[in-house]
């Protein structure tokens, strides 16, 4: 048996590992360090200089943050590894969520920052629920200002499974200069951009190692009775057994090991890679997790991301879950055709390299799968494979209305929007037929900003953007009987229509109804639908400028002319009737009120309540969030106009972790200064 002893259980074949974690924790830097360490890039770039493999797009570079997934395949000690560098911002979380089914394990990059614990919890929760093996990489320990055990206690609050410290730092003059690996029982000193050097484990470090190792073993023993007995009887467990337990408990998601380092200097990176090599599961276990039958079958692939490149056209980035596929392979997604592969590519960030067919376990880009969508399970066999996962984007929380600055770009804008939504399913495009607005819904300010930047940068559409219109309506508070007359009988063929309308207010939500109460044929039957159409025309813009709702109109009387009456004339008469009648009915503005449900860490609940009250919200109450220790859910009714940028303030009150959902509840009367301003603005716009 080999020196490490755990070769027997080492997974084989190409791996797929996601780098996830809270905003700005160092994932893209870690990817860069991994690529440098494994020789995929000659020299480690950095995010500040804008020369990393990750974040290669113009938008990511401009904002110095990840705004989409980066995929990079490299080799380490003879195996192929594809790393998926996910954005940390909650606004781009869909790119992370969509890749999770494809991965063997996640490296959760985190920091010793109390403010980021809630975000960490959100990410770990996602991994826990999908039973994805995960380990923490405690990054930026060059900036450490707290003891590692305190940090662990803090981070434990974010994880449902026990965190297990795999390494402890070692110091020289109070600065972290290396670490001890508790499984290997070996001490290392960090070298800048070079593998750490093995040094003697002695003195204070040796004592601390004993204590820390014991507590690591105790945690492992929670899931291993034999180890528990050995610890109780003071027997040193064999090193192989410790490695086997670490491997098994990681793969089964029973524990979450914690490694550490400084990505910016590539410190701790080789150890991380070795842990992945020896302990993370491979495609065989991942396929099992997803319910894909073992080898020998037709190709099955999961689409983890869709990209539209300027030169290569549409690319579907997939993980091969079974079989083999290459140029000419025809895929189906469920009952639908997905397309035919025309080009297989290896990706290293923005760079793509044509290659041969892909085999099980590999992560590659397939070109020209016209109908494949992110999240699809593709199969090449006669029988479609059941979907391995279904990841719905979170409901959107912020909207902007956009239009092409130049009319001639309208068609281009339409096509660009389709491509945008194809790449990012968390963007929703809504055409508002009432206002003729194109409304872009997304996950936050930066998300929408990047989306509009892409429309400009990639597709060359110059945009105008503005606040989307609020769905105001108006209604009436009292009724009236009103004559509506249309008469033009001077020379030639005349026009004549005459109606009497009984207009009455109705309760909220009743909409509009029409009743024909004509007796004796004073308005001939065939003209009555035209009268109703005319009334509906008139209700489109009420006296305040908004669509009129919640009223009942009866046609009670009228007159006609045998020659001059027509459908047109009666339609006009109906419209004139409501147009002249409504201003006398005490019109009043109605605004949409939504029911919102905000989830937030408990310490932010008071702030959220204050925020809602400040936005004319009516708080209905708050509760602890079910299944989420340390979280609350606040329910309130709040006007649509006040939801506008609510997410911006919710996020700032909750260090980015809070969010909300909303749905329409009712229309409410709005009077006073706010109403006057809205009406005046409408008049000015008309
Ligand atoms: N001191 C120190 N800074 C680091 C380290 N790793 C990353 N940083 C810095 O942290 C900032 C964020 O780094 P990124 O690698 O972009 O972090 P990220 O997690 O990819 O960020 P998002 O993808 O936007 O969530 C940059 O300013 C990095 O230079 C580290 O090990 N030590
Ligand atoms: Mg990043």
């Amino acid at each position: 048996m080999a020196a490490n002893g755990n070769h027997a259980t080492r997974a084989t074949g190409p791996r797929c590992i996601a780098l996830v974690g809270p905003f700005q924790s160092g994932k893209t830097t870690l990817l860069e360090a991994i690529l440098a360490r494994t020789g995929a890039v000659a020299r480690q770039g950095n995010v500040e200089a804008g020369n990393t493999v990750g974040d290669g797009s113009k938008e990511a570079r401009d904002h110095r943050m990840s705004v989409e997934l980066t995929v990079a395949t490299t080799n380490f000690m003879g195996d192929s590894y594809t790393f998926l560098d996910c954005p940390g911002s909650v606004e781009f979380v869909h790119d992370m969520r969509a890749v999770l089914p494809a991965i063997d394990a996640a490296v959760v990059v985190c920091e010793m920052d109390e403010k980021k614990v809630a975000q960490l919890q959100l990410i770990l929760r996602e991994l826990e629920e999908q039973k994805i093996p995960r380990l923490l990489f405690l990054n930026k320990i060059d900036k450490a200002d707290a003891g590692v055990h305190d940090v662990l206690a803090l981070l434990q609050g974010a994880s449902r499974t026990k965190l297990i410290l795999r390494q402890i730092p070692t110091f020289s003059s109070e600065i972290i200069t290396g670490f001890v690996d508790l499984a290997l029982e070996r001490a290392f000193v960090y070298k800048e951009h070079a593998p750490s050097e093995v040094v003697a484990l002695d003195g204070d470090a040796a004592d601390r190692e004993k204590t820390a190792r014991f507590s690591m073993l105790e945690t492992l023993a929670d899931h291993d009775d034999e180890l528990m007995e050995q610890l109780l009887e003071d027997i040193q467990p064999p090193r192989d057994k410790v490695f086997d337990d670490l491997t098994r408990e990681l793969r089964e998601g029973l524990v979450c090991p914690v490694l550490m380092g400084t990505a910016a200097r590539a410190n701790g990176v080789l150890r991380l890679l070795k842990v992945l090599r020896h302990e993370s599961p491979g495609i065989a276990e991942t396929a099992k997790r997803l319910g894909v039958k073992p080898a020998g079958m037709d190709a099955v692939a999961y689409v983890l991301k869709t990209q539209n490149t300027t030169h290569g056209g549409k690319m579907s980035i997939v993980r091969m879950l079974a079989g083999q596929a290459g140029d000419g392979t025809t895929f189906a997604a469920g009952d639908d055709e997905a397309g035919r592969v025309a080009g297989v590519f290896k990706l290293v960030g923005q760079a793509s390299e044509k290659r041969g067919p892909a085999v099980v376990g590999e992560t590659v880009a397939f070109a020209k799968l016209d109908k494949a969508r992110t999240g699809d399970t593709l199969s090449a066999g006669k029988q479609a494979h059941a979907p391995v996962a279904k990841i719905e984007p979170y409901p959107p929380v912020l909207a902007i209305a956009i239009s092409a600055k130049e009319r001639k770009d309208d068609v281009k804008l339409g096509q660009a929007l389709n491509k945008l939504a194809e790449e990012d399913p968390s963007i929703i495009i809504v055409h508002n037929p009432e206002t003729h607005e194109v409304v872009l819904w997304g996950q936050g300010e930066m998300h929408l900003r990047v989306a509009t930047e892409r429309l400009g940068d990639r597709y060359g559409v110059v945009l105008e953007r503005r606040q989307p219109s609020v769905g105001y309506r108006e209604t009436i508070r009292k009724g009236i009987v009103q004559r509506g007359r249309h008469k033009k009988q001077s020379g030639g063929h005349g026009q004549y229509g005459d109606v009497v309308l009984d207009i009455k207010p109705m309760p909220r939500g009743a909409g509009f109804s029409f009743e024909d109460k004509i007796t004796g044929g004073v308005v001939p039957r065939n003209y009555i639908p035209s009268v109703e159409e005319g009334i509906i025309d008139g209700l489109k813009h009420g006296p305040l400028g908004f669509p009129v709702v919640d009223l009942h109109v009866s046609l009670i009387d009228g007159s006609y002319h045998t020659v001059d009456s027509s459908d047109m004339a009666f339609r006009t008469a109906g419209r004139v009737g409501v147009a002249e009648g409504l201003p006398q009915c005490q019109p009043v503005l109605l605004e949409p009120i939504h029911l919102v449900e905000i989830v937030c860490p408990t310490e932010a609940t008071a702030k959220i309540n204050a925020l809602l009250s400040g936005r004319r919200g009516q708080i209905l109450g708050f509760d602890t969030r079910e299944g989420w220790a340390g979280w609350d859910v606040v329910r309130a009714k709040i006007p649509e106009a006040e939801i506008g940028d609510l997410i911006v303030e919710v996020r700032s009150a909750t260090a980015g972790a809070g969010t909300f959902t909303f749905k329409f509840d009712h229309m409410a009367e709005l009077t006073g200064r706010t109403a006057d301003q809205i009406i005046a603005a409408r008049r000015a716009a008309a």
Side-chain angles (χ1 to χ4, degrees):
M1 205 177 240
N4 260 349
N6 59 340
H7 283 66
T9 52
R10 193 168 85 72
T12 54
R15 312 293 175 85
C16 183
I17 308 287
L19 307 178
V20 302
F23 187 49
Q24 296 281 295
S25 59
K27 301 168 288 294
T28 303
T29 307
L30 179 61
L31 173 67
E32 190 70 10
I34 289 171
L35 295 177
R37 175 64 80 236
T38 56
V41 298
R43 203 165 156 270
Q44 182 172 343
N46 68 71
V47 177
E48 274 71 35
N51 59 0
T52 48
V53 168
D55 297 355
S57 71
K58 181 179 184 309
E59 297 81 26
R61 294 265 196 258
D62 285 353
H63 299 297
R64 286 208 163 53
M65 62 182 276
S66 300
V67 298
E68 69 214 310
L69 180 73
T70 295
V71 179
T73 299
T74 185
N75 270 286
F76 178 60
M77 298 179 80
D79 286 327
S80 161
Y81 286 78
T82 299
F83 288 94
L84 308 176
D85 171 21
C86 299
S89 159
V90 289
E91 301 188 25
F92 299 92
V93 73
H94 189 72
D95 263 22
M96 176 197 86
R97 298 176 67 230
V99 309
L100 297 184
I103 64 173
D104 299 322
V107 174
V108 185
V109 182
C110 62
E111 289 174 72
M112 327 183 182
D113 185 347
E114 201 173 346
K115 291 199 289 295
K116 292 189 183 174
V117 174
Q119 273 188 52
L120 179 64
Q121 186 185 10
L122 292 176
I123 293 162
L124 287 176
R125 182 58 74 99
E126 200 89 55
L127 297 168
E128 287 159 4
E129 275 169 9
Q130 294 188 46
K131 301 194 166 52
I132 296 168
R134 58 212 165 264
L135 52 89
L136 292 191
F137 183 78
L138 184 55
N139 191 30
K140 306 191 188 182
I141 59 158
D142 55 328
K143 297 202 306 188
D145 55 6
V148 69
H149 296 283
D150 293 342
V151 174
L152 204 72
L154 184 72
L155 300 180
Q156 182 65 64
S159 174
R160 284 173 145 180
T161 48
K162 271 259 180 73
L163 299 183
I164 180 167
L165 198 59
R166 268 293 297 267
Q167 302 171 338
I168 53 166
T170 52
F171 303 83
S172 161
S173 322
E174 295 188 4
I175 290 176
I176 296 179
T177 51
F179 65 97
V180 180
D181 188 286
L182 301 175
L184 284 172
E185 301 206 80
R186 216 178 275 166
F188 297 84
V189 168
Y190 291 134
K191 297 282 164 197
E192 191 127 345
H193 298 295
S196 302
E197 189 187 317
V198 180
V199 294
L201 173 57
D202 51 21
D204 158 64
D207 294 340
R208 288 195 300 120
E209 189 272 339
K210 287 221 159 45
T211 322
R213 179 176 159 92
F214 188 76
S215 99
M216 176 182 88
L217 295 179
E218 268 187 316
T219 309
L220 287 176
D222 285 347
H223 308 281
D224 180 351
D225 295 341
E226 194 192 0
L227 179 61
M228 183 63 89
E229 271 168 38
Q230 290 170 339
L231 293 184
L232 289 172
E233 288 164 26
D234 231 0
I235 300 171
Q236 258 307 315
R239 184 176 294 176
D240 289 357
K241 178 170 183 55
V242 176
F243 274 110
D244 280 352
D245 275 11
L246 281 166
T247 304
R248 180 178 58 84
E249 296 187 20
L250 166 73
R251 291 186 190 180
E252 292 175 9
L254 300 171
V255 296
C256 178
V258 182
L259 309 181
M260 58 190 66
T262 298
R265 294 184 196 153
N267 290 160
V269 171
L270 189 58
R271 264 292 117 212
L272 169 66
L273 287 169
K274 290 203 168 165
V275 168
L276 291 175
R277 172 179 164 83
H278 290 288
E279 298 170 28
S280 102
I283 186 62
E285 280 167 79
T286 301
K288 203 195 264 170
R289 183 185 90 220
L290 299 171
V292 177
K293 303 265 155 26
M297 62 185 290
D298 296 311
V300 178
Y302 172 80
V303 184
L304 55 99
K305 174 79 184 169
T306 305
Q307 273 171 354
N308 288 297
T309 60
T310 35
H311 38 282
K314 179 173 168 179
M315 294 277 194
S316 304
I317 304 169
V318 305
R319 176 111 200 257
M320 294 294 298
L321 302 176
Q324 174 175 332
D327 270 345
T329 303
T330 306
F331 276 115
D335 293 337
D336 304 325
E337 180 112 359
R340 190 163 173 208
V341 178
V344 182
F345 296 86
K346 169 190 166 183
L347 299 179
V348 182
Q350 304 275 85
S352 58
E353 190 183 296
K354 205 156 177 19
R355 46 156 289 167
V359 300
V360 62
E362 288 188 304
T363 306
V364 298
F366 285 147
K368 306 267 156 48
L369 288 179
D370 292 334
K371 302 220 170 81
R373 286 158 311 168
T374 303
D376 278 353
T377 299
L378 306 177
S379 36
K382 282 200 190 66
Q383 258 202 320
H385 197 284
V388 297
K390 181 119 189 71
I391 311 282
E392 293 291 344
Y394 289 135
V397 289
L398 189 67
I400 49 165
I402 57 167
S403 54
K405 199 161 205 159
E406 311 255 348
R407 200 59 203 272
K408 67 173 173 49
D409 281 349
D410 278 356
V411 175
K412 207 156 86 176
L413 175 61
Q415 290 165 346
L417 283 172
N418 287 340
K419 289 196 171 160
L420 200 67
E422 189 175 46
E423 287 186 9
D424 184 353
S426 65
I427 282 191
I428 291 171
I429 298 151
V430 183
H431 295 265
N432 182 336
E434 188 186 312
T435 57
H436 305 291
E437 282 174 339
V438 176
V439 180
L440 218 55
W441 278 95
Q443 307 291 326
E445 259 185 327
M446 187 54 93
H447 188 219
L448 290 176
R449 181 176 334 163
V450 167
T452 52
E453 283 170 359
R454 272 187 196 143
L455 291 172
D457 295 345
R458 287 199 203 161
Y459 304 105
V461 190
V462 184
L463 286 181
E464 279 183 358
R465 35 182 302 172
R466 61 191 170 280
Q467 294 287 329
S469 319
V470 173
Y472 293 115
R473 297 285 181 271
E474 58 181 89
T475 190
I476 51 172
R477 284 194 282 200
K478 84 183 220 320
I480 195 171
V481 172
Q482 173 71 38
R483 167 150 260 146
R485 208 173 206 169
H486 180 59
K487 191 172 161 190
K488 263 199 188 143
Q489 292 177 307
S490 51
H493 199 321
Q495 297 172 33
Y496 184 91
D498 172 35
V499 297
V500 177
L501 306 177
D502 182 6
I503 304 173
K504 282 202 176 81
M506 294 287 284
R508 272 311 72 74
F512 162 70
S513 50
F514 173 77
E515 200 177 346
D516 162 23
K517 287 194 181 162
I518 293 298
T519 48
V522 289
V523 175
R525 188 151 304 279
N526 54 317
Y527 293 135
I528 289 175
S530 300
V531 175
E532 184 178 358
E533 280 165 25
I535 294 168
I536 291 171
D537 285 347
L539 296 179
K540 283 185 185 143
H541 297 278
L544 307 182
F546 298 94
V548 190
V549 295
D550 300 345
L551 75 173
H552 179 84
V553 181
S554 311
L555 174 62
I556 53 173
D557 202 358
S559 63
Y560 72 104
H561 185 277
T562 39
V563 178
D564 292 344
S565 279
S566 65
D567 281 330
M568 261 322 282
F570 269 101
R571 186 166 175 157
T572 308
R575 197 183 62 221
V576 167
V578 288
E580 288 178 359
L582 291 177
Q584 306 166 62
C585 296
Q586 290 181 6
V588 62
L589 193 65
L590 291 177
E591 70 168 341
I593 308 287
H594 293 264
L595 189 64
V596 299
E597 227 175 71
I598 304 190
V599 292
C600 62
T602 305
E603 61 267 20
T605 304
K607 268 195 222 163
I608 295 293
N609 280 338
L611 205 150
L612 289 168
S613 307
R615 289 178 173 242
R616 298 192 285 133
Q618 179 204 347
I619 291 161
L620 305 175
F622 68 94
D623 265 314
T624 52
R625 186 179 182 191
E626 214 182 301
W628 287 74
W631 285 67
D632 281 345
V633 43
V634 181
R635 289 185 187 81
K637 287 186 179 172
I638 163 168
E640 181 174 309
E642 301 284 343
I643 290 183
D645 62 347
L646 179 64
I647 189 65
V648 179
E649 288 193 34
V650 168
R651 294 233 172 95
S652 90
T654 58
T659 189
F660 66 84
T661 51
F662 64 97
K663 64 169 197 272
F664 174 76
D665 192 70
H666 68 281
M667 299 296 287
E669 286 186 12
L670 180 65
T671 54
R673 255 194 47 195
T674 317
D676 295 343
Q677 281 165 357
I678 294 162
I679 294 161
R682 180 73 165 201
R683 285 215 175 105

